[in-house]
Amino acid sequence: MTVASTASGLLAMLQEQQPQLKKYALHNLNSLADSFWHEISASISTIESFYEDEYFEQRELAALVASKVFYYLGEHNDSLTYALGANSLFDVLEDSDYVRTLVAKCLDHYIALRKTREGEGATAIDPRLVAIVERMLDKCMQDRKYQQAIGMALDSQRLDKLQEAIRKSENVPGMLAYCFRLARTHVDKREFRQEVLRLIVNQHQGLHSPDYLTVCQCLMFLNDPQTVANILDKLIKGDKIEALLAYQIAFDLFENENQLFLLNVRDRLPEARAGSSSGGGENTETTEQNGMMDVSTSAEAATNVEDSQDNIYVDRMGKLKGILSGETPIHLTLQFLYSRNKSDLLILKTIKHSVETRNSVCHSATIYSNALMHAGTTVDTFLRDNLDWLSRATNWAKFSATAGLGVIHRGHLQQGRSLMAPYLPQDGGTGGGSPYSEGGALYALGLIHANHGEGIKSFLLESLRKTNNEVIQHGACLGLGLAALGTADDEIYEDIKHVLYTDSAIAGEAAGIAMGLLMVGSASDKAGEMLTYAHDTQHEKIIRGLALGIALVVYGREEEADTLIEQMTRDQDPILRYGGMYALALAYRGTSNNSAIRRLLHFAVSDVSDDVRRAAVLALGFVLCSDPTQTPKIVSLLSESYNAHVRYGAAMAVGISCAGTASSEAISLLEPLTSDAVDFVRQGALMAMAMVLMQATEAREPHVAVFRRQLDKIVSDKHEDTMSKMGAILAYGILDAGGRNVTISLQSRTGHDRVMAVVGMAVFTQFWYWYPLTYFVSLSFAPTAFIGLNHELRMPKFDIISDAKPALFAYPAPTAPPSVNVNIKLPTAVLSTSGRSKSKAKKDTDAKTKAEKQPDTSSQMDESSSGKEAAKDGSEAMEVDSAVEKKAVNPEATSEVLSNPARVIPLQEKYVRFPEGCRYAPVKRTPAGFVMLRDLEPSEPVELVSTDSPASPAPAGGANGAPAAAPIPMGGVDLEPAPPEPFVYVP
Amino acid sequence: MDSGNSKVLEAQRLYGRLETSIFARNFDSARAFLNQLKVKLTEFSGLPPLYRHTSTQVEELKLARSILEQAVLLSVGTEDQESFELHFLQLKPYYTDTRHLIPPSNFEYIMLGLNLLRLLVQNRIAEFHTELELLSPEALKNDCIKIVVELEQALMEGAYNHVLRSRKVPHDSYNYFINLLAKTVRDEIAGCSEKAYDFLTLDDAKTIFKFTRDQDLMTYISEEHPDWEIRNRCVYFQKVKDFSLCKEIPSLQLINQTLGYARELERIV
């Protein structure tokens, strides 16, 4: 076979005069370009001039040859230009590296153009480019590569093609799910994301059996409560399974913590009253359905069905509203945290003993730590056992001690008010209590009702109006902000604004933050008002409060917030720039948005104020919280900065975004910082490390043990700086938070950001200036629970399996000999077969010696110290296998059986499955959080998990009867403090 | 087949007329025939780079080769180096890639030699050697090639008198390039003389430039080097004496740059 050895002859021919020769040469060069591009490249200018010659009839061919040569030369941009010039001669279907590369290039180019289209006022995109992209999209669809087509359409922001791709695919629900995932993770423009979600919803509604879970998630992103309400209403009118689905949707929506949205949905649900008009309309439908199923149904039967249907509907509607208003899930969570509390009081005891009592910072830190450790468990044993010690808290320390009760009793909605009653301001405002404990109590109420403040709002507002004391105002503002989080309630706003305008530093700071909390994510024009006042006032505290407040207002608004952010970051005042960093952090939370990261990094290295730099680095943690693996990489250089504030920020950023992941990169980054030369860097690093290592076991991450030893050492070391000591104490609190049953997670399981958690974390980081704000971290605690519920919203008894070594996800071992271990006091241990067998054994022995009936009841009463289920459930079997016990029996097992409700930490989720032949089947796939269960054997009797409700009498309070009767005296009689106030000042 | 055959026959007829025109040094009509022929050639599929095996391939190849050879000769005749290069590049594949298809041409070595000579004249020494390396040992022994190689060696050594003396050419077409070469050599000598001497007597100059008659020397000087002066039967060369001074070191700029880097480094964490 003869092959050409050179293309020089053809190239020479290009110089000929006759067009036929040129054409001939070009034609042959085109086919030889792949092997002789190096020779052709020398004459590329000739070929280019052919293309530019408008009278040359083979322009397109020339362009194609030029494009190929440029491709081989690596000049892809030129190559693309010429390929476009080649028009139809450029065949996108050709299977060659050249075409593939150029098509990819083409798409990139097109996507880039589409993304900048708004900026330059709709510059027309080259129609040839569009044609190529569309040809590619069509090809994808022809080849049934719908996922590719969807990805391309999303990237290039082509809704029409997206819709086409989804509609053409065989697996529409699958594609919609895929599209939903992409839209959330990869579409970085909020506006377009909304359009995509809208499209997804529309497509779903066109389906025969839409995936309502996804639809409702979408609708939540779109903030469309009406449609959600309609869907829920429709579902609970349906059969049992549909009702379960409705509950599940409600729980999932609840997990995203968008109070305003939930309330809106609830308010839009129709009133459920038997025989109401809406019910009537629905009934005809169901009758029709019944008629379909059973043609012979008589009219009488139909009316019967109607009646029972009505009752069921009312019942279901009540349950649904209970979930949406947060009562049911909060109650269940509280039960879980209470019954599974594993906190280790010995740690606190050790801290208490090693901390100098004169050191008020460490003293308060211990109180904070206690509150965090018992967050949501309602266990206040430690405080009750150490009343004398506690009474050393005075003034603001007393404020935080009281507020700490709010953290401990978080979610105790029914009892919250009565629990705090002794500390609350009495009528008339001149009660004997000190303003500090009164203010603290109002703050505590806010913490208890955080994000579900319907019931308490009016009371707090009243308290705020009644007082003129700035300490009480401070507490009331924070409490209101928390309780009415994100509700954008105008009445409350006006009242808080009134407080702000009194221009008192203490009350004003809280007011600023409260305004932000109230308006979270509303992007309302109130932000401008706040900014103006921040410029007017002289108080740094107020400016800081307002700056943070403004940042909260633009929460999650992404590009929409850019003008405001720009305004703040350009401000003369470093405090406002500081707020600007937070605004960036919150507006772009969890988006990993490149432009936000770039801006933050810029400020992190170039701002003149240390505070701003610290905030900028810290803000990176928020922006990257959806992608924890990225953060250590991005801040690793900053963590070695000469500037201690930047190092501190880096540590906190890693802590925030990698919380609960126990990622080894994060640990190796933080480890050197925990022994930094500067005390506050150590403080930050210790707390960040605690966040990262939350719920990590030694079996999974050996560093946990090292870290605990380090904390021990720091706490007991007399020569350690106060700052780092405080860090270590708080680190303990975070590490074992919520009875070791919670983790910090800024994202819900569905991948959406948890508003309350992010907000809580952002305000928490302000503890640098104001220690009482430390409690905000409790907002970001998420219980690591699996709670299975049946259609009655009760927990049936059943087991799930975790296919991992129990040690990997176990509770940490208690620190002390069992005699000191507090765990034995907890009722959990009794809730087991052992408890029953013990009692049985006892019963047997008793039976031998004494008469039968009397000792039996008495022994049972003895046995269950909390005195509940034995009496209540009586005959019901109580074979609740606690996970702890299983582990003890089978320490080397590769899997363990968990019983409902179970502690399933996020990393464990992928190992958890339902056993085969299980009576219950979950409605959704992820085995975590609240899971609605379908009963596969509805005829069998249902065994329910007996519940320990932490309702009064609480275990500790039980001794004293009602908790209200035995309030923890906060610092005894408060002597009127001599000014100046002991502000907690962090250098 | 028939159409292919008839096309070849027609082209062959045209080729005959091209040959005669060139022989008669009627270049204008030759050029016209050539242009027609080249267009005809694009219709032959047996030619490079396609090399399709058709019944008329051998004929086509032979014909195309002859046409291009004539085209090269025509370029020499019209003293058009550019078109020489174009045609030779088109011709080359017939010598390199078609050896197994058609017998070698009589003109092959003449053409190759001519091309080498052209490269030498155009002072494209690198390409000259590339081409030389591609030739077979037999080709190197051929007179047509050998003379060019020798010329090149003489030039490189600076044995200019050898270059100017050689006048025996294997083919008439060589004369054009050899003459050009002689002129090139004289230019070289002139360049050297300018550097080496302040002035030369006319007699010496005549010897050095290898002119036999004073008249030739005078014409050469007036045409090529009008800046030379002729006084008292001597040739005075103008000298380029001004040395450009060393450029000043841009110290200020460098200092600024270094300081800028230092500042940037400071800002990077």
Side-chain angles (χ1 to χ4, degrees):
Chain A
M1 183 60 210
T2 321
V3 280
S5 61
T6 167
S8 54
L10 290 166
L11 289 169
M13 217 182 267
L14 288 177
Q15 312 287 341
E16 296 281 3
Q17 296 300 313
Q18 295 102 311
Q20 296 101 313
L21 290 181
K22 289 182 188 172
K23 180 181 158 189
Y24 174 80
L26 271 179
H27 198 77
N28 284 305
L29 282 176
N30 181 35
S31 49
L32 291 174
D34 292 341
S35 24
F36 293 108
W37 57 270
H38 52 279
E39 289 185 43
I40 305 174
S41 70
S43 321
I44 191 71
S45 54
T46 321
I47 297 173
E48 282 178 290
S49 67
F50 284 164
Y51 170 65
E52 276 145 28
D53 177 5
E54 291 186 12
Y55 300 102
F56 185 62
E57 53 181 303
Q58 295 294 323
R59 291 182 62 195
E60 296 180 357
L61 189 59
L64 187 61
V65 176
S67 167
K68 282 186 182 172
V69 173
F70 277 121
Y71 160 71
Y72 284 110
L73 288 173
E75 301 281 348
H76 289 188
N77 283 330
D78 289 333
S79 178
L80 181 59
T81 318
Y82 281 107
L84 291 179
N87 278 336
S88 56
L89 284 182
F90 178 71
D91 180 11
V92 287
L93 304 181
E94 195 182 302
D95 187 32
S96 66
D97 282 342
Y98 160 69
V99 170
R100 273 195 295 272
T101 315
L102 271 205
V103 166
K105 183 83 198 160
C106 226
L107 285 171
D108 285 349
H109 189 56
Y110 181 68
I111 289 164
L113 283 177
R114 290 283 294 185
K115 284 195 173 150
T116 52
R117 74 190 153 148
E118 280 139 55
E120 284 126 52
T123 38
I125 296 174
D126 193 336
R128 299 171 301 184
L129 190 63
V130 179
I132 290 183
V133 172
E134 285 183 356
R135 254 146 72 196
M136 269 325 283
L137 279 166
D138 291 342
K139 187 193 157 211
C140 276
M141 287 185 233
Q142 272 163 22
D143 298 352
R144 297 165 176 273
K145 292 175 184 160
Y146 297 106
Q147 295 204 339
Q148 284 183 12
I150 287 175
M152 269 156 67
L154 271 180
D155 257 348
S156 55
Q157 311 196 346
R158 287 289 297 264
L159 283 177
D160 50 339
K161 288 286 165 189
L162 182 64
Q163 186 168 1
E164 193 184 331
I166 293 175
R167 199 177 295 148
K168 279 187 179 167
S169 66
E170 298 89 352
N171 177 13
V172 178
M175 282 304 133
L176 282 172
Y178 177 73
C179 186
F180 181 51
R181 211 175 66 230
L182 285 185
R184 266 191 347 213
T185 50
H186 284 86
V187 178
D188 53 4
K189 216 174 197 109
R190 187 181 145 96
E191 220 170 290
F192 180 67
R193 195 185 310 139
Q194 301 238 349
E195 287 172 35
V196 174
L197 293 177
R198 180 64 63 194
L199 179 99
I200 294 176
V201 171
N202 289 341
Q203 291 295 311
H204 262 301
Q205 277 162 350
L207 287 183
H208 184 61
S209 55
D211 176 4
Y212 286 118
L213 280 173
T214 316
V215 171
C216 290
Q217 289 286 330
C218 288
L219 288 168
M220 194 191 63
F221 288 117
L222 291 168
N223 195 14
D224 183 352
Q226 185 59 56
T227 321
V228 176
N230 292 346
I231 290 175
L232 288 176
D233 190 41
K234 195 176 125 209
L235 283 175
I236 57 171
K237 283 169 190 161
D239 57 17
K240 229 177 193 178
I241 294 168
E242 282 181 311
L244 284 179
L245 188 61
Y247 299 151
Q248 184 67 63
I249 290 170
F251 276 121
D252 281 2
L253 292 178
F254 169 78
E255 276 197 354
N256 289 320
E257 300 182 338
N258 193 337
Q259 182 175 206
L260 184 62
F261 182 77
L262 289 174
L263 292 181
N264 280 337
V265 172
R266 196 195 58 184
D267 296 343
R268 279 172 175 75
L269 283 172
E271 275 303 313
R273 210 173 291 119
S276 68
S277 59
S278 67
E282 168 264 327
N283 276 335
T284 47
E285 262 182 49
T286 39
T287 340
E288 272 167 35
Q289 280 174 7
N290 287 350
M292 297 270 278
M293 284 182 271
D294 186 2
V295 191
S296 65
T297 319
S298 68
E300 258 176 71
T303 43
N304 279 343
V305 167
E306 215 167 279
D307 275 354
S308 62
Q309 283 280 344
D310 259 359
N311 291 332
I312 290 173
Y313 175 67
V314 172
D315 181 43
R316 283 177 181 171
M317 184 57 91
K319 288 202 176 90
L320 190 64
K321 288 193 173 177
I323 301 172
L324 287 175
S325 68
E327 279 160 33
T328 316
I330 289 178
H331 180 68
L332 288 168
T333 309
L334 189 68
Q335 265 180 13
F336 172 79
L337 288 179
Y338 167 67
S339 62
R340 292 294 162 89
N341 177 22
K342 285 278 173 195
S343 62
D344 195 340
L345 284 185
L346 196 71
I347 294 176
L348 280 170
K349 235 176 239 173
T350 327
I351 297 174
K352 198 193 94 185
H353 286 305
S354 38
V355 166
E356 272 180 80
T357 43
R358 278 182 296 116
N359 191 336
S360 69
V361 172
C362 292
H363 184 266
S364 314
T366 315
I367 295 174
Y368 293 131
S369 192
N370 169 52
L372 295 181
M373 273 191 200
H374 294 101
T377 61
T378 74
V379 176
D380 48 11
T381 330
F382 179 75
L383 296 179
R384 289 181 188 284
D385 291 350
N386 298 289
L387 292 176
D388 278 351
W389 173 81
L390 188 63
S391 66
R392 288 198 194 99
T394 52
N395 303 333
W396 283 107
K398 189 196 270 184
F399 177 90
S400 2
T402 318
L405 284 177
V407 176
I408 294 175
H409 289 283
R410 173 151 175 248
H412 209 164
L413 299 184
Q414 298 94 343
Q415 304 285 324
R417 178 91 177 269
S418 56
L419 273 167
M420 298 312 297
Y423 316 107
L424 288 171
Q426 305 302 316
D427 282 336
T430 50
S434 103
Y436 292 103
S437 66
E438 289 177 3
L442 292 171
Y443 180 22
L445 276 182
L447 287 165
I448 291 175
H449 292 267
N451 210 14
H452 299 93
E454 280 241 291
I456 203 76
K457 238 162 43 178
S458 50
F459 172 75
L460 286 170
L461 193 58
E462 200 118 309
S463 310
L464 179 67
R465 282 176 184 158
K466 269 196 293 196
T467 185
N468 280 320
N469 185 309
E470 55 181 7
V471 179
I472 299 179
Q473 280 177 336
H474 182 93
C477 281
L478 288 179
L480 264 177
L482 282 166
L485 188 74
T487 52
D489 188 320
D490 273 330
E491 193 192 347
I492 301 178
Y493 179 83
E494 285 306 316
D495 273 278
I496 295 180
K497 198 167 84 180
H498 184 69
V499 174
L500 178 73
Y501 285 164
T502 58
D503 207 38
S504 133
I506 294 169
E509 183 188 30
I513 296 174
M515 286 161 120
L517 291 172
L518 202 58
M519 295 289 169
V520 160
S522 65
S524 90
D525 46 9
K526 303 274 185 348
E529 203 177 289
M530 291 159 78
L531 194 59
T532 321
Y533 192 73
H535 281 125
D536 288 346
T537 185
Q538 297 294 314
H539 294 287
E540 279 195 6
K541 275 168 115 23
I542 300 185
I543 303 175
R544 190 172 299 118
L546 284 168
L548 186 67
I550 299 169
L552 290 170
V553 172
V554 295
Y555 176 92
R557 307 304 286 210
E558 298 176 33
E559 299 87 10
E560 222 177 298
D562 276 352
T563 18
L564 193 66
I565 291 173
E566 194 70 1
Q567 212 178 334
M568 291 176 84
T569 51
R570 293 244 173 111
D571 206 284
Q572 290 279 313
D573 189 343
I575 303 179
L576 282 176
R577 290 207 300 280
Y578 171 89
M581 297 305 110
Y582 273 94
L584 262 174
L586 294 176
Y588 290 97
R589 81 282 169 268
T591 55
S592 308
N593 185 298
N594 277 332
S595 110
I597 294 173
R598 204 173 46 242
R599 276 182 277 175
L600 287 172
L601 284 175
H602 173 74
F603 281 104
V605 293
S606 67
D607 202 280
V608 286
S609 156
D610 280 339
D611 289 337
V612 179
R613 296 175 71 163
R614 188 182 67 231
V617 185
L618 194 146
L620 284 171
F622 286 100
V623 176
L624 292 166
C625 72
S626 60
D627 193 0
T629 49
Q630 283 294 319
T631 324
K633 285 182 216 150
I634 288 184
V635 300
S636 66
L637 255 185
L638 294 167
S639 75
E640 289 160 20
S641 165
Y642 70 92
N643 185 319
H645 288 264
V646 172
R647 291 204 299 275
Y648 175 92
M652 287 306 270
V654 171
I656 291 165
S657 65
C658 302
T661 59
S663 98
S664 51
E665 288 109 1
I667 292 169
S668 53
L669 188 143
L670 289 171
E671 211 195 334
L673 291 176
T674 56
S675 43
D676 199 274
V678 180
D679 53 359
F680 66 79
V681 177
R682 288 202 296 277
Q683 181 192 51
L686 288 171
M687 296 174 66
M689 185 73 104
M691 294 190 211
V692 172
L693 290 176
M694 267 177 121
Q695 293 195 330
T697 53
E698 241 176 281
R700 200 152 50 84
E701 181 50 62
H703 192 76
V704 181
V706 183
F707 183 58
R708 280 186 189 273
R709 277 198 298 280
Q710 188 184 12
L711 289 180
D712 252 350
K713 210 181 120 255
I714 293 175
V715 170
S716 52
D717 187 352
K718 287 258 186 298
H719 305 291
E720 190 61 65
D721 289 301
T722 308
M723 282 292 97
S724 50
K725 224 172 205 180
M726 172 192 165
I729 296 172
L730 286 179
Y732 260 133
I734 295 171
L735 197 58
D736 291 337
R740 291 176 171 165
N741 280 317
V742 299
T743 185
I744 291 179
S745 76
L746 302 186
Q747 301 228 308
S748 67
R749 288 185 188 82
T750 45
H752 189 37
D753 50 310
R754 298 172 60 218
V755 183
M756 186 169 70
V758 179
V759 167
M761 187 52 85
V763 184
F764 160 67
T765 54
Q766 305 302 310
F767 78 91
W768 175 278
Y769 299 103
W770 192 234
Y771 287 161
L773 296 178
T774 311
Y775 288 134
F776 271 81
V777 76
S778 69
L779 301 191
S780 50
F781 291 162
T784 49
F786 166 90
I787 300 178
L789 297 168
N790 65 7
H791 65 279
E792 297 268 86
L793 298 188
R794 301 258 171 99
M795 288 184 269
K797 223 169 61 58
F798 77 103
D799 293 335
I800 50 171
I801 294 175
S802 163
D803 278 331
K805 280 188 192 148
L808 274 182
F809 302 112
Y811 290 103
T815 43
S819 58
V820 209
N821 194 347
V822 201
N823 282 347
I824 48 163
K825 283 188 186 166
L826 300 171
T828 341
V830 199
L831 282 178
S832 59
T833 35
S834 75
R836 201 178 61 145
S837 56
K838 249 194 221 168
S839 77
K840 231 180 204 168
K842 206 169 185 180
K843 191 160 54 173
D844 289 346
T845 46
D846 284 347
K848 278 172 193 164
T849 52
K850 293 178 185 175
E852 275 211 308
K853 283 203 172 177
Q854 298 279 52
D856 177 41
T857 40
S858 66
S859 73
Q860 278 213 353
M861 291 306 279
D862 290 353
E863 195 56 45
S864 51
S865 55
S866 57
K868 249 167 276 121
E869 58 277 38
K872 236 188 261 171
D873 300 318
S875 60
E876 256 193 52
M878 293 188 304
E879 293 154 291
V880 182
D881 298 318
S882 87
V884 197
E885 208 181 60
K886 275 281 171 186
K887 264 176 273 160
V889 173
N890 222 355
E892 289 306 310
T894 53
S895 73
E896 62 180 322
V897 177
L898 305 168
S899 63
N900 183 35
R903 174 190 192 247
V904 175
I905 72 174
L907 291 166
Q908 194 179 1
E909 279 167 21
K910 56 177 176 281
Y911 300 107
V912 172
R913 61 180 170 85
F914 278 70
E916 281 173 34
C918 180
R919 176 171 165 184
Y920 296 98
V923 171
K924 69 168 184 177
R925 257 168 262 126
T926 11
F930 296 102
V931 178
M932 296 307 300
L933 301 168
R934 206 148 40 106
D935 195 346
L936 300 178
E937 301 155 25
S939 52
E940 299 286 308
V942 181
E943 278 182 78
L944 293 178
V945 174
S946 54
T947 51
D948 320 308
S949 166
S952 64
N960 302 337
I968 302 162
M970 286 302 167
V973 183
D974 190 38
L975 301 166
E976 201 48 51
E981 306 268 26
F983 277 123
V984 194
Y985 172 67
V986 181
Chain B
M1 285 306 121
D2 271 353
S3 72
N5 251 327
S6 64
K7 274 183 191 165
V8 174
L9 284 175
E10 199 192 326
Q12 270 165 346
R13 226 176 8 258
L14 258 173
Y15 169 68
R17 292 166 75 179
L18 170 71
E19 216 173 10
T20 44
S21 317
I22 291 175
F23 191 72
R25 299 188 73 76
N26 187 354
F27 295 137
D28 285 338
S29 63
R31 222 179 264 137
F33 289 132
L34 181 62
N35 283 345
Q36 286 177 38
L37 275 169
K38 280 197 278 194
V39 176
K40 291 235 178 317
L41 284 184
T42 60
E43 291 162 18
F44 295 158
S45 58
L47 302 184
L50 298 174
Y51 299 115
R52 262 198 212 110
H53 290 288
T54 56
S55 58
T56 54
Q57 190 188 20
V58 176
E59 293 304 310
E60 284 173 12
L61 283 171
K62 276 193 200 161
L63 178 63
R65 188 173 65 186
S66 313
I67 293 171
L68 288 169
E69 280 167 356
Q70 288 305 318
V72 169
L73 290 179
L74 175 64
S75 308
V76 177
T78 55
E79 304 191 350
D80 183 348
Q81 292 186 27
E82 212 172 294
S83 103
F84 177 96
E85 185 177 359
L86 285 185
H87 291 131
F88 181 78
L89 283 174
Q90 293 182 48
L91 175 62
K92 222 174 107 188
Y94 294 90
Y95 294 145
T96 52
D97 301 348
T98 61
R99 288 196 181 285
H100 57 289
L101 293 173
I102 47 171
S105 146
N106 300 330
F107 280 99
E108 178 165 345
Y109 293 123
I110 296 175
M111 288 294 142
L112 291 175
L114 263 178
N115 186 45
L116 286 173
L117 197 54
R118 172 184 68 91
L119 290 171
L120 198 57
V121 167
Q122 291 175 339
N123 205 17
R124 289 154 73 172
I125 304 299
E127 282 167 77
F128 175 88
H129 284 283
T130 316
E131 291 295 323
L132 206 58
E133 290 302 318
L134 291 172
L135 295 178
S136 59
E138 296 91 77
L140 290 177
K141 281 179 203 140
N142 187 289
D143 275 345
C144 300
I145 311 287
K146 221 154 76 183
I147 179 174
V148 186
V149 176
E150 279 165 6
L151 271 174
E152 193 262 352
Q153 280 165 355
L155 264 180
M156 291 303 117
E157 287 164 11
Y160 292 145
N161 37 2
H162 181 74
V163 178
L164 293 180
R165 215 176 289 133
S166 67
R167 274 285 180 269
K168 205 181 82 201
V169 291
H171 190 263
D172 291 343
S173 53
Y174 276 49
N175 277 327
Y176 165 60
F177 286 115
I178 298 268
N179 284 334
L180 281 177
L181 203 57
K183 194 176 157 299
T184 312
V185 166
R186 273 194 194 104
D187 286 345
E188 285 290 321
I189 295 171
C192 295
S193 312
E194 259 182 346
K195 293 267 176 343
Y197 308 104
D198 286 342
F199 67 91
L200 277 175
T201 61
L202 275 183
D203 287 339
D204 290 344
K206 207 164 65 185
T207 334
I208 285 176
F209 286 105
K210 298 286 173 211
F211 282 119
T212 40
R213 294 182 297 157
D214 280 4
Q215 191 56 39
D216 290 342
L217 180 65
M218 289 306 178
T219 347
Y220 174 74
I221 291 175
S222 60
E223 272 173 18
E224 300 294 326
H225 299 282
D227 50 335
W228 293 356
E229 267 184 84
I230 300 170
R231 277 183 278 127
N232 313 328
R233 287 195 58 79
C234 288
V235 184
Y236 289 88
F237 307 109
Q238 300 295 104
K239 276 186 189 162
V240 192
K241 287 201 171 155
D242 47 334
F243 279 87
S244 56
L245 287 168
C246 268
K247 271 188 190 161
E248 203 185 334
I249 299 168
S251 44
L252 207 62
Q253 192 194 342
L254 279 175
I255 290 170
N256 271 335
Q257 231 164 34
T258 321
L259 280 177
Y261 291 145
R263 213 174 300 126
E264 288 292 319
L265 270 175
E266 189 100 312
R267 283 174 64 177
I268 303 171
V269 185

